[in-house]
Amino acid sequence: MNTINEYLGGFSVVLIIVFGLVLSIKTKFFQGKGLLNSFRHLSKTKKTEDNSLTTRQAMCTSLAATIGTGNVVGISGAIAIGGAGVVFWIWISSFVCMIIKYCEIYLSMHYRRKEAGQYKGGIMYLAKILPPKLHFLGFAFAFFTIVASFGTGNLIQINTAVESFKNILPKDFLYTDTLAIIFAITLALLIGFTLISGIKKVSGVCEKLVPFMLILYLAASLFIIIKNLGEIPAAISEIFEGAFNPKAVTGGVVSSFFIVLRTGAVRGIISNESGLGTASLTHSAADNQNISAESEIGILEVFIDTAICTLTAIVILVSRMPIFYGKDMGLIPVNDSFYSQFGIVSSYLLSLFLILFAVSSVLGWGAYGIVASEFLWKKRGRSLYKIVFAAACVLGAVLSTEKIWVISEIFNSLMAIPNIIILTFVLRKFGIAKHRS
């Protein structure tokens, strides 16, 4: 299973990066201009009267899914594996892949349809305009999305939330598996109630939750960075030096340039989800007739996600806590960094952030799953999915996530393959030049 994941993951990352480079060159790196435009578009978002989403709701729902525990735990582990240089390659891969998310949203909105006062669209609907023999790609994408939503978007996130809940409790408190299950059931009920109310309700909750948790994390991170302002030049130097000469930063434990490049590129893509096609599922439901403007918001999402990853990395680097390079240490580097600055309060802060990030990610992926399940099995399938997805939250409290991680990464990679194929065919039909405003 690990071997399959390694080769499939490597293939999908190369596929996404190459596709992003081709699009970037053909559009003359439009993502730069699109990012500047996106800030202006976001301020013009309006409320809707029907079941459609606002631009801000679509963006926050997409961000809820992308900004999960991986922005903290994943980046912390990535630095331990490859050193500070991975941050540089996260930046590069994110910039290159911004244009993919733009095209995913643009094409999905262009070919969407409106039913019962709500827009329907996404990568799987794009497959319907391809030759009949390729229609299976849409069904494959929807199926892979549903499976990935249970792994990446549910079990792993809930497991992290439960472990974080344990850290919030007093040290002399008798923690049991029963208490963990009760906490997971509570989350399942809250998440289930939100999902059953529909994607409009999910997006409304994400619209409030995402800015709140981002402001909190930004404040805590900036406190550490400002407190260690003198270490910023050295941290930036480590990032650039480590990107091309990792041995100089890690002391020889990580001496391969390709390990650093691969780790940074993979973590960046996994975090911002460019190339997976997920953003198309929420933005297609937005009531925005300016398709290009809505698509440019997707570029902003990648930027925000990358900024959160960078904050985590800078916090670790300026804190100057010892790191044992060459092995994924998970939360340890960032936990040590927060502890060195906040003391005993750090465990409460990190636990709060991880719980918020986990819950938001579950809601965001739940929204993806709702759209995908409705495409495959109509309204009955959508209703059943909501119930099963919420109930699966309880399993996250008791299952070991080691194998779940591997399976989830496999299905994330599988999502990318039909997505890139569909986009390639549709872009040839539609013309990539039309995607530049």
Side-chain angles (χ1 to χ4, degrees):
M1 189 74 75
N2 286 319
T3 303
I4 294 174
N5 181 38
E6 184 175 345
Y7 282 104
L8 187 60
F11 172 75
S12 64
V13 167
V14 171
L15 181 67
I16 291 171
I17 294 292
V18 171
F19 187 63
L21 277 172
V22 171
L23 289 180
S24 296
I25 294 169
K26 286 185 175 293
T27 60
K28 298 180 179 179
F29 291 91
F30 173 74
Q31 56 264 54
K33 177 184 176 182
L35 179 60
L36 296 176
N37 293 340
S38 64
F39 293 99
R40 185 178 72 253
H41 300 320
L42 189 60
S43 64
K44 296 180 180 179
T45 185
K46 299 178 181 179
K47 291 184 178 180
T48 60
E49 300 298 330
D50 54 18
N51 291 326
S52 301
L53 309 183
T54 66
T55 294
R56 185 175 285 114
Q57 287 174 335
M59 184 189 80
C60 287
T61 305
S62 182
L63 280 175
T66 56
I67 300 177
T69 56
N71 290 73
V72 181
V73 182
I75 300 304
S76 178
I79 290 177
I81 293 173
V86 300
V87 180
F88 176 83
W89 296 113
I90 287 174
W91 293 341
I92 297 301
S93 64
S94 297
F95 178 76
V96 168
C97 294
M98 282 177 175
I99 196 65
I100 302 180
K101 185 165 282 196
Y102 175 87
C103 287
E104 289 170 351
I105 297 171
Y106 194 108
L107 292 172
S108 295
M109 292 190 71
H110 181 79
Y111 289 104
R112 67 184 178 177
R113 64 193 70 175
K114 196 167 189 178
E115 300 174 4
Q118 186 175 4
Y119 286 108
K120 307 287 185 182
I123 297 301
M124 56 274 196
Y125 288 94
L126 288 180
K128 290 188 173 184
I129 67 174
L130 301 181
K133 62 182 180 180
L134 296 177
H135 286 185
F136 77 94
L137 291 171
F139 293 98
F141 173 82
F143 175 74
F144 296 151
T145 299
I146 291 172
V147 177
S149 74
F150 280 94
T152 302
N154 190 322
L155 298 177
I156 291 171
Q157 303 295 333
I158 293 297
N159 187 271
T160 303
V162 169
E163 288 298 314
S164 300
F165 171 68
K166 177 181 178 180
N167 293 332
I168 290 178
L169 298 173
K171 290 187 176 180
D172 58 348
F173 190 90
L174 182 60
Y175 184 81
T176 63
D177 290 340
T178 302
L179 185 60
I181 293 174
I182 291 174
F183 178 67
I185 290 174
T186 303
L187 291 180
L189 291 174
L190 292 173
I191 290 167
F193 175 78
T194 305
L195 293 177
I196 289 173
S197 299
I199 192 170
K200 179 77 172 179
K201 178 67 174 179
V202 174
S203 299
V205 172
C206 291
E207 186 180 19
K208 296 178 176 61
L209 176 60
V210 169
F212 172 72
M213 70 182 193
L214 291 186
I215 290 172
L216 281 182
Y217 192 70
L218 177 65
S221 299
L222 286 179
F223 174 84
I224 296 176
I225 293 170
I226 292 172
K227 190 178 176 182
N228 298 273
L229 206 57
E231 298 291 340
I232 292 292
I236 299 299
S237 176
E238 279 187 40
I239 290 173
F240 284 95
E241 188 172 10
F244 302 98
N245 184 20
K247 186 176 180 179
V249 175
T250 63
V253 178
V254 178
S255 57
S256 173
F257 163 77
F258 294 102
I259 290 177
V260 180
L261 191 155
R262 183 182 183 277
T263 303
V266 169
R267 294 298 167 110
I269 291 171
I270 288 175
S271 182
N272 63 55
E273 296 178 12
S274 294
L276 299 189
T278 50
S280 69
L281 304 178
T282 51
H283 283 282
S284 294
D287 186 20
N288 187 349
Q289 302 309 310
N290 188 337
I291 298 178
S292 183
E294 187 74 26
S295 305
E296 286 168 348
I297 295 296
I299 296 176
L300 178 61
E301 291 168 8
V302 178
F303 176 81
I304 293 173
D305 178 82
T306 305
I308 299 300
C309 292
T310 303
L311 275 176
T312 300
I314 296 297
V315 163
I316 294 171
L317 296 176
V318 300
S319 298
R320 295 296 165 195
M321 298 301 293
I323 300 174
F324 300 98
Y325 293 105
K327 182 179 180 181
D328 190 340
M329 298 172 65
L331 192 61
I332 293 176
V334 72
N335 184 63
D336 290 346
S337 299
F338 265 76
Y339 185 81
S340 69
Q341 307 299 317
F342 291 106
I344 194 171
V345 179
S346 65
S347 62
Y348 299 105
L349 279 175
L350 268 180
S351 295
L352 174 62
F353 295 143
L354 290 173
I355 291 172
L356 290 175
F357 283 10
V359 171
S360 73
S361 194
V362 173
L363 288 173
W365 273 94
Y368 295 158
I370 289 173
V371 178
S373 60
E374 184 175 4
F375 174 82
L376 288 178
W377 305 303
K378 307 305 177 185
K379 291 183 178 180
R380 285 187 178 181
R382 180 185 65 188
S383 300
L384 180 61
Y385 170 83
K386 294 175 183 178
I387 296 171
V388 176
F389 185 81
C393 292
V394 182
L395 293 177
V398 296
L399 292 181
S400 171
T401 58
E402 185 176 347
K403 289 185 178 180
I404 297 174
W405 262 116
V406 176
I407 295 172
S408 298
E409 288 178 357
I410 288 174
F411 278 94
N412 280 346
S413 299
L414 288 173
M415 287 175 65
I417 296 172
N419 178 45
I420 300 300
I421 295 173
I422 291 169
L423 289 177
T424 300
F425 275 94
V426 176
L427 282 170
R428 289 180 63 186
K429 173 184 175 67
F430 188 78
I432 193 170
K434 295 182 181 181
H435 295 269
R436 294 168 56 194
S437 60

